[in-house]
Amino acid sequence: MAEIPVKDKIEYTVSLVSDFAKKHSLSTTHAFNYLDRFNAIDFVNQHYNITHTLPFEEIIDDLTLYCKKHGGNL
């Protein structure tokens, strides 16, 4: 399988963090720190091949649940 350009992963992750922040009324910095603290950024990076095929709303809901399962409380 071809290697995915880092730029694509970064752009996707930035967009996810931005939309996550909007959905939860957070600053983008707070949203990133929250997602990073509960390993959601690593999850997205590791499973990019799947996550980037999902609708943003669905993956944001899934990340919210993922963080809750790892101790988050949004």
Side-chain angles (χ1 to χ4, degrees):
M1 184 186 322
E3 184 68 26
I4 298 162
V6 173
K7 181 182 177 205
D8 291 352
K9 285 184 175 183
I10 291 170
E11 288 174 353
Y12 178 76
T13 303
V14 167
S15 294
L16 269 182
V17 170
S18 177
D19 284 5
F20 186 91
K22 288 176 190 170
K23 178 169 181 152
H24 294 290
S25 301
L26 302 170
S27 70
T28 53
T29 301
H30 188 204
F32 176 83
N33 289 338
Y34 178 83
L35 292 168
D36 188 47
R37 178 178 179 196
F38 297 107
N39 300 315
I41 298 294
D42 288 338
F43 178 85
V44 168
N45 188 41
Q46 290 174 359
H47 302 287
Y48 174 81
N49 289 338
I50 297 168
T51 59
H52 87 280
T53 65
L54 299 172
F56 260 43
E57 186 173 313
E58 183 177 338
I59 190 62
I60 289 169
D61 289 344
D62 291 347
L63 290 176
T64 301
L65 291 174
Y66 182 86
C67 289
K68 282 184 181 183
K69 288 181 180 180
H70 289 89
N73 62 358
L74 281 180

